[in-house]
Amino acid sequence: MKDFEYLAPKTIEEALSLLSQYKEEAKIIAGGQSMLVIMKQGLIAPEYLIDIKGISALDYITYDEKQGLKIGALTTHRDIEKSPIIQKHFNVLSEMERNLATIQTRNWGTIGGNLCHGDPAGDPALLLIALNAKLKLKSLAGERLIFMENFSKDLLEVDLGSEEMLTEIQVPIQKPRTGVAHEKLMVMQGDAGIVGAAVSITLRPEKETCEDARIVLSNVSSVPYRTREAESRLIGKVINDTLFDEAGEIASAGADPPSDVHGSAEYRREMIKVFVKRVGQKALERAMQA
Ligand SMILES: Cc1cc2nc3c(=O)[nH]c(=O)nc-3n(C[C@H](O)[C@H](O)[C@H](O)COP(=O)(O)OP(=O)(O)OC[C@H]3O[C@@H](n4cnc5c(N)ncnc54)[C@H](O)[C@@H]3O)c2cc1C
């Protein structure tokens, strides 16, 4: 690994000043679970490494009935999994975290690091898109909010300027009669998903017709893949298994899955159909009980 200068700011302002000073020469490190891997592989070699783990102001989980859920970027996966606030109001996030990597990785890895790494196989991004979440990005010039849906640009590439830092994830209160579910295809628990799906379904007041739907898939494209065509197959209809099958076919046809040691593109296309239906059924059940 190439030598670098290690910097450890204790406040957000200090970190932003360092980013502004060193720009492309600097990289943030949070839990280091992805960063150290790509540094060891020689894929990046920053001159300055800005360790934000000591910025306690970025580590929090809050909830209120108007503003919804707010998660500081430095919150670890394990803290999200175990948070009573999240288990009460957004248990699907806790469920997702339980299947993310091992406890050791969840203890170090942060939600902000996961999203900024921009891995299309990552679990939080697709679920946060299904939940219509926003990200708060800060620089010395100010701050901006961006929908999670628009954050991923390409493989390992996100909409984050060299002087910007992700500070917060905001999840809005879901509409009444909404159910959300996430599952992924793993060989062993905690494996990265060969294919993952997050589905959100909102029912009309009579609890039969689908008012709104979101279907988002991981590891089937260079970025999390939201399939509006498949969603529109469900919206305005009384959902049944046939409609889920059709939505799965549409999602599968629109995806651009990779072929790798974990599965061929053809296999992934089949799994998309299975997971759109399976996760969709779970989301529908939850919407009926909501
Ligand atoms: C063995 C193993 C198994 C894994 N399995 C899974 C899995 O099943 N599902 C899954 O989703 N992920 C999985 N991961 C990925 C893991 O979740 C991420 O590596 C971790 O969450 C990254 O967070 P971090 O804090 O360690 O980020 P780091 O590695 O420190 O940083 C990652 C990237 O984000 C940037 N960054 C970090 N924080 C910020 C910030 N606040 N603002 C701007 N940029 C920032 C860094 O500059 C870097 O580019 C696995 C990782 C390992 C090592």
Side-chain angles (χ1 to χ4, degrees):
M1 203 191 284
K2 193 175 157 291
D3 284 354
F4 54 84
E5 193 171 328
Y6 175 80
L7 305 160
K10 289 282 176 275
T11 65
I12 297 173
E13 292 67 31
E14 243 183 280
L16 295 179
S17 297
L18 290 168
L19 283 173
S20 161
Q21 189 176 349
Y22 298 119
K23 300 187 173 60
E24 279 85 10
E25 288 182 314
K27 275 302 267 182
I28 286 177
I29 186 164
Q33 297 299 294
S34 294
M35 193 62 186
L36 289 176
V37 175
I38 55 176
M39 283 177 74
K40 280 182 185 165
Q41 289 171 341
L43 293 174
I44 58 164
E47 294 287 330
Y48 301 91
L49 206 55
I50 303 175
D51 182 355
I52 60 170
K53 257 292 191 188
I55 306 180
S56 53
L58 285 174
D59 183 4
Y60 57 87
I61 295 171
T62 64
Y63 175 86
D64 82 49
E65 294 295 339
K66 278 197 182 134
Q67 303 205 17
L69 180 69
K70 293 186 176 177
I71 307 174
L74 210 55
T75 309
T76 62
H77 295 294
R78 186 70 167 160
D79 282 346
I80 295 173
E81 176 194 351
K82 292 283 175 193
S83 159
I85 293 177
I86 289 185
Q87 286 173 356
K88 180 167 178 200
H89 299 287
F90 285 95
N91 191 43
V92 66
L93 280 169
S94 176
E95 287 175 350
M96 174 275 293
E97 293 287 8
R98 223 169 292 146
N99 285 321
L100 185 152
T102 57
I103 291 179
Q104 290 90 329
T105 299
R106 297 205 291 280
N107 269 330
W108 273 99
T110 65
I111 183 83
N114 186 293
L115 298 176
C116 291
H117 185 53
D119 184 345
D123 299 316
L126 71 155
L127 181 53
L128 289 170
I129 295 171
L131 291 166
N132 200 22
K134 286 182 188 161
L135 309 182
K136 190 194 273 185
L137 307 176
K138 269 193 179 178
S139 69
L140 281 188
E143 63 181 45
R144 65 184 172 114
L145 280 176
I146 178 170
F147 280 104
M148 179 62 230
E149 186 174 354
N150 300 327
F151 189 54
S152 299
K153 291 286 167 206
D154 205 341
L155 189 76
L156 306 184
E157 201 183 310
V158 294
D159 184 2
L160 185 75
S162 61
E163 296 184 39
E164 281 183 318
M165 190 164 113
L166 170 61
T167 56
E168 186 174 89
I169 294 96
Q170 303 180 348
V171 187
I173 305 284
Q174 303 297 292
K175 291 184 205 154
R177 304 174 303 281
T178 296
V180 187
H182 167 263
E183 277 189 35
K184 63 181 176 179
L185 174 63
M186 316 171 261
V187 178
M188 285 194 306
Q189 188 176 8
D191 277 353
I194 298 169
V195 164
V199 178
S200 163
I201 288 176
T202 303
L203 294 171
R204 286 186 187 156
E206 90 287 6
K207 286 204 168 180
E208 281 187 3
T209 316
C210 174
E211 180 179 298
D212 202 3
R214 282 186 174 223
I215 301 174
V216 195
L217 300 159
S218 62
N219 220 359
V220 300
S221 168
S222 61
V223 295
Y225 173 55
R226 179 172 176 200
T227 160
R228 289 172 192 273
E229 296 81 3
E231 292 167 8
S232 65
R233 197 71 200 87
L234 307 180
I235 296 170
K237 321 248 172 39
V238 176
I239 304 178
N240 53 33
D241 281 354
T242 309
L243 281 185
F244 277 134
D245 285 335
E246 290 171 10
E249 293 281 350
I250 296 168
S252 175
D256 182 19
S259 275
D260 56 29
V261 286
H262 305 293
S264 64
E266 193 186 1
Y267 176 64
R268 281 190 165 91
R269 283 195 192 284
E270 284 309 306
M271 289 304 106
I272 291 172
K273 296 176 201 169
V274 172
F275 274 75
V276 165
K277 184 173 185 181
R278 184 183 298 174
V279 182
Q281 285 170 330
K282 200 168 178 181
L284 178 60
E285 258 171 50
R286 290 178 173 181
M288 287 171 130
Q289 286 158 14

